[in-house]
Amino acid sequence: MNARRITQAWLGAFAILLLGWSVPAFGQGVLIIVDPVHPTPLPRPIIRTRPQPVEQSYKIKELTINGRINDQVARVQVTQSFVNTGSRQMEVSFCFPLPYDGAIDQMTFMVDGKEYEAKLLAAKEARSIYEGYIRRNQDPALLEWMGTGMFKTSVFPVPPGAERKVTIRFSQLLRKDSRLTDFLYPLSTAKYTSQPIETVTINASIESTAKLKSVYSPTHDVEVNRSDDHHATVKFEAKNHVPTSDFRLFYDTSKEKVGASVISFRPDNSEDGFFLMLASPEIPMKTDDQPAKTAVFVVDRSGSMSGKKIEQAKDALKFVLNNLRDGDLFNIIAYDSSVESFRPELQKFNDETRKAALGFVESIYAGGSTNISGALTQALDMIQDPDRPNYVVFLTDGLPTAGETNEMKIAQMTKQHNKHHARVVSFGVGYDVNSRLLDRISHDNYGQSEFVRPDEDIEAHVSRLYSRISSPVMTDVAVDIDVEGAKVEEGKAINRIYPREVHDLFAGEQLVMVGRYRKPGEAKVTITGKVGDNNKKMDFPAKLAESSSDDTYAFVEKLWAMRRIGEIIDELDLKGQNQELVDELVALSTRHGILTPYTSFLADETSTVNELADARGNAVRARRMLDQLSVAEGRSGFAQRAEKKSLREANQVTQNFSLESAESAADSSAATPAPAATASRPSRSAGRGGFGGGVPTGPAGGLPGAMPANQPAAPNGVAYRDIENDRVVVAESVQVVGNETLYKRGNLWVAENAKDVDPEKDKAKIKTIKRFSDDYFKLIAANTASENSVLARQQAGETLLIKLRGQAYRIE
């Protein structure tokens, strides 16, 4: 095989310095110490304790990935700096695995600018090397790459204390499914480092002959900038970071004003499949082409807004006023006990009205009570034109204390006065708001709720949201998916779609929709709506998989589960408890390791395996926890609605944390280990990074609300929100590995698929296998890469109970 035709992917061979052996990742390169002093397992980060000096050790200092994508071809350069932190010189060789089909061309490997020779090893030869490393070092970290080929270089030295910079350059043909191009960077094995990586940077530029539509990452919260229809740049950066997942990027193209693509995943033919649809309008639009809109801003000026809050609110209003366009209609309503408007009726935006409105904003001062009902009804009564996009941006920092004060009546009045389908966007500022009221208002009026914590900037939240909704491309949007051959009597072919309703599509934004499908096959996506004054209808082909033979799109199931959990909590919050919904909440949370404030008891490692499998008992526990939804205000009420929102609007299935954010979060009480009663504490084995490994970390930037708090933490553990304190708690006794969720019960790790196996009563049904035995490697040979990734996490002294192909195994 020609080295120029090595394999798909894997965009970037990153160097990892290994203590005695190699650790191939999905295309990620590794360094092998060719003559180790003694067998040494792969290093795992010890985040909060200082690593002890050893003879052979390393840290990854910097990881930079730059990719240029032109249509379906990517040109990639990966640079990784690592430091020999041990006391001896290491003789190392670089290698990387070849796990996928595809093509990599023009591969160049350099160390500190010097090019090194390399050779390709076939899968059979590479497998024996992998197995030898595993046996000798008694560490299973290589398991998920068994059976793949390997690309290997000649030996070069790394003196103690020396830094080496490894650079790889190559071109790659990317996978494409219909109009959707798939780009992946293998980041996850970079967690095998004795310390967090100081800087991780990903830069990808996209240039497309056809017009770009959606640019989407299901794994990372990326920054996307688009200069025109044909170009986009994508950036991700983190400091003191331990990657927990590979980086995945999708983009699609279309000649239509709106483009749509569908991907599907159906792991079990006997159950409904999962789909994800991406839809996005043209990226830039000329101002003349954008429909004129109506925007009414309703701002709280009650006494509790005095000081910094009222100044930030005024700055937010100024931002919005300076970003309206000629032809827009607008008004400003400021309220306390009384309600005052800038003008008695809506005003046409021009330079004259802008200046007058800025003067009105400057004259706003805080004082008095809070007449929410009066302000909202007056704002909605001003709107008279149903044929244009209408928005009411409503801001409050307190409870209704004047006018109508009953929560249900305020929500009902608001709905009754909204006669022209205005979208009400509510901003709750601080912990004193009635967060459930805001959710009711937004839920009933086609909008959404935003929550601003006491230490966050009101202006930043309002301006960010307004920038998103300021340029509606298509309004009154409806999405239909028709499956060929679907029969009415068989029930809905498409069901449980989230978001349930789509109202508008905005320039530079994209719709991420998930759902289930009962019938596979060819399908048609139809998007209808208004573009300006004209009705528009567009059709897109789609295919819903009959079965999924691999895990390429497994993330779609997890994303759907997150949003479904958010919808369940929302319904329980606004409509009261329902036993079927509680049961479903517990089942989804258990299956996917998505801990919520109401299912955090699943992290209690002092309970038994039988208790983990006790669906009825767990539902009773969840019902008791869900009683907390009766709290509408205060820190707890605020935190619950913010967490619910993060689940309902989730776009990423994995969340990356950094040491920097963990330290700042710890200092501000934003992130803590789970209490002993609900989750395990770090132990000595945690430093080795096994199932029980990892140290709790907080969200990016140390802000409790910076992201959904229910994602895998770095390097291990699942986080959820402590609603009493509005902070992230990491449960290290719950792990999400590949497509499996693992629960620690005493010294035993239990895979969710084996939770119904009693370790004592079902001994006769369980096959016990010793790690690194011949039977162990026979089992490995029969497993999928995802199944082996679970076994690869197991460390010395840990026991694993898991089902593989219907058989229960105890691996010890």
Side-chain angles (χ1 to χ4, degrees):
M1 182 183 296
N2 192 309
R4 290 178 178 272
R5 306 290 298 175
I6 295 181
T7 162
Q8 153 119 359
W10 298 121
L11 299 172
F14 319 144
I16 291 182
L17 185 61
L18 292 189
L19 304 182
W21 47 294
S22 70
V23 184
F26 286 39
Q28 175 166 336
V30 300
L31 291 180
I32 304 170
I33 300 176
V34 296
D35 187 20
V37 176
H38 54 74
T40 308
L42 204 76
R44 273 74 162 182
I46 306 174
I47 292 186
R48 290 192 186 277
T49 61
R50 185 180 300 277
Q52 297 298 313
V54 294
E55 286 187 309
Q56 293 181 301
S57 65
Y58 75 93
K59 71 173 182 179
I60 300 171
K61 185 176 180 180
E62 182 180 3
L63 177 59
T64 302
I65 305 159
N66 292 305
R68 293 177 57 196
I69 305 171
N70 194 324
D71 290 327
Q72 203 178 337
V73 177
R75 292 174 175 82
V76 182
Q77 176 172 301
V78 181
T79 302
Q80 180 161 329
S81 297
F82 60 89
V83 178
N84 180 355
T85 57
S87 58
R88 299 180 76 254
Q89 175 166 299
M90 295 180 291
E91 300 293 327
V92 299
S93 176
F94 178 87
C95 71
F96 68 91
L98 312 177
Y100 294 107
D101 295 330
I104 289 180
D105 258 344
Q106 300 175 353
M107 172 69 71
T108 303
F109 172 75
M110 294 182 293
V111 178
D112 293 342
K114 178 181 177 181
E115 188 168 346
Y116 278 74
E117 294 181 343
K119 64 178 181 178
L120 179 69
L121 302 177
K124 185 176 181 180
E125 184 179 0
R127 180 183 179 88
S128 65
I129 294 174
Y130 292 148
E131 184 172 326
Y133 290 147
I134 293 169
R135 288 182 186 273
R136 287 196 300 271
N137 290 278
Q138 301 291 286
D139 189 336
L142 292 174
L143 287 178
E144 58 193 299
W145 302 289
M146 295 285 285
T148 69
M150 179 189 295
F151 197 66
K152 193 174 182 180
T153 73
S154 53
V155 176
F156 56 93
V158 185
E163 178 178 340
R164 287 285 183 264
K165 181 172 287 188
V166 173
T167 302
I168 300 195
R169 297 174 185 155
F170 58 86
S171 298
Q172 176 189 357
L173 181 66
L174 303 181
R175 291 184 295 188
K176 192 169 185 178
D177 185 351
S178 186
R179 295 185 307 274
L180 201 65
T181 303
D182 185 359
F183 188 37
L184 183 145
Y185 286 119
L187 283 178
S188 62
T189 53
K191 63 180 171 285
Y192 295 118
T193 171
S194 61
Q195 300 174 40
I197 304 171
E198 293 181 13
T199 304
V200 176
T201 304
I202 300 174
N203 293 299
S205 63
I206 304 170
E207 181 176 349
S208 174
T209 304
K211 290 183 177 181
L212 283 171
K213 290 299 185 289
S214 297
V215 180
Y216 167 67
S217 172
T219 58
H220 292 70
D221 187 11
V222 296
E223 177 185 339
V224 180
N225 292 303
R226 314 184 194 205
S227 56
D228 56 39
D229 277 334
H230 299 272
H231 297 82
T233 59
V234 179
K235 184 172 183 177
F236 173 80
E237 186 173 50
K239 301 289 187 181
N240 295 317
H241 181 69
V242 182
T244 59
S245 69
D246 292 336
F247 175 83
R248 198 91 177 264
L249 181 68
F250 293 95
Y251 66 90
D252 68 351
T253 57
S254 175
K255 296 178 181 179
E256 298 285 348
K257 188 171 284 290
V258 175
S261 294
V262 174
I263 54 180
S264 59
F265 179 65
R266 195 185 189 199
D268 188 339
N269 292 4
S270 65
E271 296 183 2
D272 290 3
F274 304 85
F275 74 87
L276 178 146
M277 186 192 77
L278 301 173
S280 183
E282 287 184 354
I283 297 160
M285 289 190 66
K286 295 180 181 178
T287 301
D288 294 342
D289 295 335
Q290 296 178 5
K293 61 183 178 297
T294 299
V296 182
F297 309 98
V298 183
V299 59
D300 189 340
R301 64 177 184 188
S302 61
S304 57
M305 285 287 292
S306 61
K308 184 177 180 181
K309 284 195 286 188
I310 196 65
E311 293 304 317
Q312 289 182 352
K314 289 163 66 173
D315 287 341
L317 287 173
K318 294 173 187 176
F319 172 87
V320 173
L321 288 169
N322 287 321
N323 283 275
L324 290 170
R325 287 187 291 270
D326 289 346
D328 288 343
L329 298 178
F330 78 101
N331 211 335
I332 302 169
I333 292 177
Y335 68 97
D336 45 36
S337 309
S338 60
V339 179
E340 179 185 3
S341 61
F342 162 54
R343 295 282 170 83
E345 56 188 21
L346 295 174
Q347 299 294 297
K348 281 191 175 182
F349 180 79
N350 52 43
D351 191 55
E352 181 182 350
T353 56
R354 180 184 68 85
K355 291 178 180 178
L358 288 173
F360 176 79
V361 170
E362 285 294 347
S363 68
I364 293 176
Y365 61 91
S369 302
T370 309
N371 187 353
I372 289 176
S373 60
L376 280 174
T377 55
Q378 183 169 320
L380 290 165
D381 287 344
M382 287 183 177
I383 297 173
Q384 299 297 324
D385 186 353
D387 295 327
R388 62 163 58 206
N390 297 306
Y391 302 96
V392 173
V393 180
F394 165 57
L395 185 149
T396 182
D397 80 329
L399 307 174
T401 56
E404 180 58 63
T405 58
N406 180 272
E407 174 185 326
M408 297 296 290
K409 290 182 179 180
I410 293 173
Q412 186 178 15
M413 289 171 60
T414 303
K415 188 174 182 180
Q416 289 174 347
H417 283 260
N418 190 1
K419 298 176 181 178
H420 300 295
H421 209 78
R423 285 73 154 155
V424 179
V425 180
S426 303
F427 285 88
V429 179
Y431 292 132
D432 294 331
V433 299
N434 183 325
S435 55
R436 187 173 58 213
L437 171 62
L438 299 190
D439 272 0
R440 286 191 191 280
I441 291 171
S442 297
H443 185 276
D444 292 344
N445 294 279
Y446 325 106
Q448 65 185 71
S449 302
E450 297 282 335
F451 298 96
V452 185
R453 287 177 167 79
D455 58 347
E456 295 179 321
D457 190 339
I458 299 170
E459 180 194 359
H461 277 261
V462 175
S463 59
R464 182 166 57 245
L465 182 82
Y466 181 76
S467 294
R468 286 169 49 198
I469 68 174
S470 62
S471 303
V473 175
M474 178 177 279
T475 60
D476 298 330
V477 175
V479 179
D480 292 308
I481 302 177
D482 298 313
V483 183
E484 189 176 297
K487 299 178 180 179
V488 176
E489 61 269 24
E490 295 175 346
K492 290 185 177 180
I494 304 295
N495 56 81
R496 291 166 286 177
I497 297 174
Y498 308 109
R500 292 179 185 271
E501 296 179 321
V502 182
H503 305 295
D504 305 316
L505 291 177
F506 301 99
E509 288 290 304
Q510 61 196 14
L511 169 65
V512 179
M513 176 179 282
V514 294
R516 304 291 301 269
Y517 64 92
R518 181 164 297 163
K519 181 177 176 57
E522 300 296 329
K524 181 175 71 173
V525 178
T526 303
I527 299 178
T528 58
K530 293 178 63 177
V531 177
D533 295 328
N534 302 315
N535 293 322
K536 183 76 173 177
K537 178 179 178 180
M538 289 163 286
D539 296 335
F540 305 91
K543 186 172 183 178
L544 302 175
E546 183 172 355
S547 63
S548 299
S549 58
D550 58 37
D551 299 328
T552 301
Y553 297 136
F555 69 87
V556 177
E557 179 180 359
K558 178 69 175 288
L559 185 62
W560 178 86
M562 292 174 66
R563 289 197 178 182
R564 174 58 183 163
I565 285 174
E567 290 292 329
I568 290 173
I569 295 172
D570 186 52
E571 190 162 345
L572 293 170
D573 185 20
L574 300 183
K575 298 181 181 180
Q577 289 208 15
N578 173 298
Q579 186 60 51
E580 290 184 358
L581 290 178
V582 174
D583 291 343
E584 186 180 358
L585 170 64
V586 171
L588 288 172
S589 189
T590 305
R591 166 66 185 92
H592 296 283
I594 304 171
L595 296 190
T596 71
Y598 320 107
T599 55
S600 58
F601 56 80
L602 293 170
D604 180 6
E605 68 171 89
T606 65
S607 65
T608 66
V609 176
N610 290 337
E611 287 175 309
L612 175 65
D614 182 9
R616 180 175 297 180
N618 287 337
V620 171
R621 295 185 184 93
R623 285 185 71 97
R624 287 199 299 264
M625 302 291 283
L626 284 161
D627 287 341
Q628 297 171 102
L629 286 171
S630 63
V631 179
E633 62 265 358
R635 189 185 299 262
S636 173
F638 183 103
Q640 290 184 84
R641 275 81 203 183
E643 182 70 354
K644 177 180 68 173
K645 170 184 167 62
S646 73
L647 284 161
R648 293 182 70 203
E649 300 177 3
N651 280 340
Q652 281 80 42
V653 295
T654 56
Q655 186 64 53
N656 292 268
F657 295 79
S658 67
L659 176 61
E660 183 178 77
S661 65
E663 297 297 349
S664 61
D667 292 342
S668 62
S669 299
T672 63
T678 57
S680 64
R681 294 186 180 278
S683 63
R684 182 173 180 82
S685 65
R688 300 306 311 159
F691 290 138
V695 180
T697 57
L703 295 177
M707 42 76 172
N710 45 66
Q711 297 304 296
N716 300 293
V718 171
Y720 63 94
R721 189 163 297 283
D722 171 7
I723 57 178
E724 293 302 318
N725 300 293
D726 190 24
R727 63 184 180 185
V728 173
V729 175
V730 177
E732 296 173 47
S733 57
V734 183
Q735 303 268 317
V736 178
V737 183
N739 295 324
E740 192 57 65
T741 302
L742 302 165
Y743 294 91
K744 190 176 185 183
R745 292 298 180 261
N747 294 321
L748 177 68
W749 282 94
V750 183
E752 188 276 337
N753 68 11
K755 67 180 185 298
D756 58 344
V757 178
D758 190 313
E760 299 301 324
K761 294 181 180 179
D762 298 330
K763 284 184 178 180
K765 301 178 183 178
I766 303 172
K767 287 187 179 180
T768 299
I769 291 183
K770 298 292 183 182
R771 291 199 311 158
F772 315 120
S773 64
D774 290 341
D775 286 341
Y776 181 75
F777 285 100
K778 288 179 183 178
L779 182 68
I780 299 306
N783 286 344
T784 65
S786 180
E787 290 167 340
N788 280 337
S789 68
V790 179
L791 274 61
R793 293 286 187 92
Q794 189 178 3
Q795 295 297 298
E798 298 175 345
T799 301
L800 172 65
L801 180 64
I802 188 172
K803 276 187 179 179
L804 299 167
R805 295 166 294 283
Q807 172 63 52
Y809 290 92
R810 182 185 178 96
I811 301 174
E812 56 187 25

